[in-house]
Amino acid sequence: MTATTLAPGATAPNPETAPATEPGAGAGGPDGTVLEPEPRRRRRKYAILLLLLGMVVMFAIVGAWYMTTRKPITVIPLPGVTQQTIPHYVFSVYGVTRPTGVAVSASGDRIYATDTDGDRVVKIFDAKGAAVGTIVPPETATGDHAPVYVAVDPVNGDVYVSDRIAGTIYVYNRDGVYRREFTPPADLAGWQPLGIGFDSKGNVYVTDVSSPFHRVHELTTDGKLVQTFGAQGTFNFPNGVAVDAAGYVYVTDSNAGRLLVFDQDGRQKSIVSRGQRGGELGLPRGIAIDDQGIVYVVDTSGYSVQLYKVLGTEDRQPPFVGNFGTAGSIDGTFAFPNGIAVDARSRVYITDSGNNRVQVWSY
């Protein structure tokens, strides 16, 4: 055994109190620091690489989803940023075949849906979706007929039903009792009415797809023509029409894939174009405006409903705020949606034509 020589004045270390070297501890660096053990460094690198790989995969999936659907991605709201609330699915009303148009009373106690390919009548349902009546063509009607769109007069609750094949609009009371035929002036003879809307004055707006070119007419409830929108080439099968509280008129120019906005004098003020970006349209059909100033546009080819705010005085186009719906047959999905209506209880009604039902959504 070899003795250890101590320097003068030095004290031998006590083996019971001397610090032990931690198993696996790294060697000291040139500056005297203790380096991290090699296995631990490797594990940290692998963890970072796995995290980065996971982020890349996540962004790839989200990117692929967006390129496929081209719909806005819901994100966590940023501080100070207000997002529009989107309605959610509530229930469906069955008992209609290929429904095209839908209307609802302000209170929501009467739902009217056109049975376009079945019995070719208008079915009446209560607020829970139970059938309570049927609207049929008047006994004086002859030839082929098929109801397309339906609307409720906000002043007296009368129900207007457009029949493009018969080339007319029939008017009924809220219970489906026939009242009269809506007869336009002689210079509109031969018209083919589709969409129907009302303004705050009680005037009626009708989209007309007859020759020589498609137009939109504003008329009084007794059939007097107030004005006509659209020169030749303006519209390509206009379908829905709605009027906001400021008097702006919104028309879904269906085959052109556009939403057009006009002022009270029929001058075009704005346009939402066809495209695949958020807020752009494919095949717009039904349109409705609620009392909160939200514009609902059914995009039939997009299997969804697009939401906008009404056009403001400084807006170039109605601000896009979101959408809801996707293709399918389960609850909350659509197969060729078409018509839309809103009531005063924040409920939204959509004809899901390919699924033979009317869907009810709510906030």
Side-chain angles (χ1 to χ4, degrees), residues 276-288:
Q276 295 182 320
R277 295 179 298 179
E280 294 178 331
L281 297 164
L283 188 64
R285 290 284 178 83
I287 186 170

Side-chain angles (χ1 to χ4, degrees), residues 283-301:
L283 188 64
R285 290 284 178 83
I287 186 170
I289 303 174
D290 68 14
D291 57 4
Q292 301 300 308
I294 299 299
V295 182
Y296 303 80
V297 177
V298 177
D299 191 343
T300 300
S301 62

Side-chain angles (χ1 to χ4, degrees), residues 3 8 46 49 73 96 120 140 146 151 156 162 172 183 189 202 208 244 288 297 305 326 357:
Y46 292 152
L49 287 174
I73 302 171
V96 287
R120 295 191 174 186
T140 56
N156 56 25
S162 66
Y172 305 80
T183 305
D208 177 9
D244 70 15
V297 177
V305 177
T326 187
R357 63 189 178 185

Side-chain angles (χ1 to χ4, degrees), residues 238-283:
N239 266 248
V241 57
V243 186
D244 70 15
Y248 285 126
V249 182
Y250 300 71
V251 182
T252 54
D253 191 20
S254 186
N255 285 10
R258 307 182 301 177
L259 171 64
L260 301 179
V261 186
F262 300 84
D263 66 14
Q264 298 180 58
D265 296 319
R267 295 184 294 255
Q268 184 174 318
K269 300 294 292 184
S270 181
I271 179 172
V272 177
S273 301
R274 168 174 280 161
Q276 295 182 320
R277 295 179 298 179
E280 294 178 331
L281 297 164
L283 188 64

Side-chain angles (χ1 to χ4, degrees), residues 99 328 333-338 350-359:
T333 64
F334 298 109
F336 301 105
N338 196 93
I350 307 104
T351 54
D352 187 11
S353 181
N355 289 320
N356 297 316
R357 63 189 178 185
V358 175
Q359 291 194 34

